[in-house]
């Protein structure tokens, strides 16, 4: 391996809750990776798309894109919002991003999982596969997630640091946390995770959008890659 060529950041957010009392049927952590130096351009492009599609909402950098509002059932408005979401896909493609998701299907879970356990399993899976992309590009990767709560975030970050260090993955050991209101990238990660969860739950109206997100990747499709444990590289990781 030659000299390191830079860094790549994987922006993440979650959708759904592991509790059986929560009506969601799946739990997804999802987002996308991008070369660090392209993040400012990414943010500008997302703000530009928000401005074009939702000009009535004012300064696009001051309001948060939320999947729940974007995918409302109103047919006319949803068609327009899906067009906006496809514009987000094109932005990610132009910047050579890779979309990742790690999913837990609660219908396959027999015992309720604690939020910490579910999140850690998903982040470990994402780290293992994201590390393949980083190694192939001779980059150092870092994970940036929307914050959820001080205790949960601290526990998950500590445990993931042990996992990444023990396996000598080309990643920053700890997870970094960001506020989704101020991060356009985290808002897109929320969209990625939310779309994937809804498709797992049976929403057929956004299957094409989910497929488009799933095809966004910077790695060559024809090359079969393996993780450090010998698993076949995947950008759509099914944990359970």
């Amino acid at each position: 391996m030659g000299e390191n060529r830079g860094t790549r950041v994987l922006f993440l957010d979650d959708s759904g809750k592991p509790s059986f009392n929560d009506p969601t049927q799946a739990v997804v952590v999802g987002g996308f990776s991008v070369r660090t130096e392209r993040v400012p351009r990414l943010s500008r492009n997302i703000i530009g798309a928000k401005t074009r599609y939702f000009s009535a909402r004012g300064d696009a950098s001051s309001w948060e894109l939320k999947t729940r509002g974007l995918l409302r059932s109103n047919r006319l408005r949803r068609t327009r919002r899906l067009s906006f979401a496809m514009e987000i896909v094109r932005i990610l493609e132009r910047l050579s991003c890779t979309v990742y998701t790690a999913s837990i299907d609660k219908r396959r879970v027999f015992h309720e999982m604690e939020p910490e356990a579910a999140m850690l399993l998903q982040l470990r899976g994402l780290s293992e596969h994201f590390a393949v992309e980083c190694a192939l590009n001779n980059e150092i990767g870092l994970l940036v997630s929307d914050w959820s709560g001080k205790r949960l975030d601290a526990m998950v970050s500590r445990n993931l640091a042990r996992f990444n260090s023990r396996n000598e993955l080309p990643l920053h050991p700890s997870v970094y946390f960001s506020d989704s209101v101020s991060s356009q990238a985290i808002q897109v990660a929320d969209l990625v995770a939310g779309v994937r969860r809804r498709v797992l739950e049976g929403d057929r109206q956004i299957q094409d959008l989910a497929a488009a997100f799933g095809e966004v990747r910077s790695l060559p499709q024809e090359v079969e890659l393996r993780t450090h444990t010998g698993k076949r590289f995947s950008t759509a990781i099914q944990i359970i």
Side-chain angles (χ1 to χ4, degrees):
M1 182 178 292
E3 185 179 354
N4 177 263
R5 297 195 327 215
T7 59
R8 181 174 295 267
V9 57
L10 175 57
F11 291 102
L12 297 169
D13 203 352
D14 66 294
S15 183
K17 304 296 181 186
S19 172
F20 288 162
N21 293 325
D22 188 88
T24 55
Q25 296 176 317
V27 186
V28 176
V29 176
F32 65 96
S33 71
V34 61
R35 290 270 302 179
T36 305
E37 68 269 18
R38 294 173 183 166
V39 173
R41 180 182 168 192
L42 172 88
S43 296
R44 291 193 299 269
N45 289 351
I46 294 167
I47 289 172
K50 289 165 69 175
T51 300
R52 289 192 299 275
Y53 280 85
F54 307 105
S55 57
R57 297 192 63 175
D59 182 4
S61 64
S62 66
W63 55 268
E64 183 176 3
L65 172 68
K66 297 295 290 184
T67 305
R68 181 173 53 198
L70 189 68
L71 300 180
R72 286 174 184 162
S73 59
N74 179 287
R75 184 175 179 180
L76 179 61
R77 291 185 176 181
R78 195 182 217 201
T79 299
R80 184 165 175 268
R81 288 165 178 158
L82 288 176
S83 295
F84 165 76
M86 289 301 297
E87 176 62 22
I88 296 298
V89 171
R90 289 189 286 272
I91 290 171
L92 298 181
E93 289 175 334
R94 287 197 299 269
L95 294 176
S96 299
C97 300
T98 300
V99 167
Y100 289 89
T101 57
S103 308
I104 294 174
D105 189 336
K106 288 163 60 176
R107 292 163 293 191
R108 300 179 180 178
V109 178
F110 299 103
H111 301 285
E112 185 167 318
M113 301 180 69
E114 292 295 326
E116 295 91 338
M119 181 68 75
L120 185 56
L121 282 174
Q122 289 170 296
L123 289 180
R124 282 179 176 177
L126 287 162
S127 292
E128 180 174 346
H129 290 266
F130 176 46
V132 174
E133 180 181 22
C134 294
L136 188 67
N137 291 296
N138 204 17
E139 297 166 330
I140 297 297
L142 60 147
L143 279 65
V144 178
S145 177
D146 186 24
W147 56 39
S148 54
K150 185 175 181 180
R151 189 180 75 81
L152 173 62
D153 294 344
M155 188 285 298
V156 169
S157 186
R158 284 196 303 270
N159 280 276
L160 189 66
R162 287 195 290 269
F163 175 82
N164 289 343
S165 296
R166 183 172 64 248
N167 292 291
E168 299 182 348
L169 301 181
L171 307 175
H172 284 230
S174 301
V175 184
Y176 298 90
F177 295 94
S178 178
D179 176 17
S180 59
V181 176
S182 60
S183 172
Q184 304 300 319
I186 294 292
Q187 293 175 35
V188 172
D190 174 77
L191 179 60
V192 169
V195 167
R196 177 62 175 165
R197 177 179 67 79
R198 285 164 174 80
V199 165
L200 288 174
E201 294 175 341
D203 189 339
R204 297 182 178 180
Q205 295 185 67
I206 57 172
Q207 284 182 329
D208 289 345
L209 175 60
F213 270 126
E215 291 173 359
V216 177
R217 55 182 284 173
S218 68
L219 294 86
Q221 295 277 5
E222 65 277 6
V223 178
E224 184 172 312
L225 302 168
R226 298 282 175 175
T227 72
H228 70 281
T229 63
K231 296 176 185 173
R232 186 175 182 178
F233 171 79
S234 175
T235 57
I237 306 153
Q238 191 69 46
I239 304 297
I240 299 175

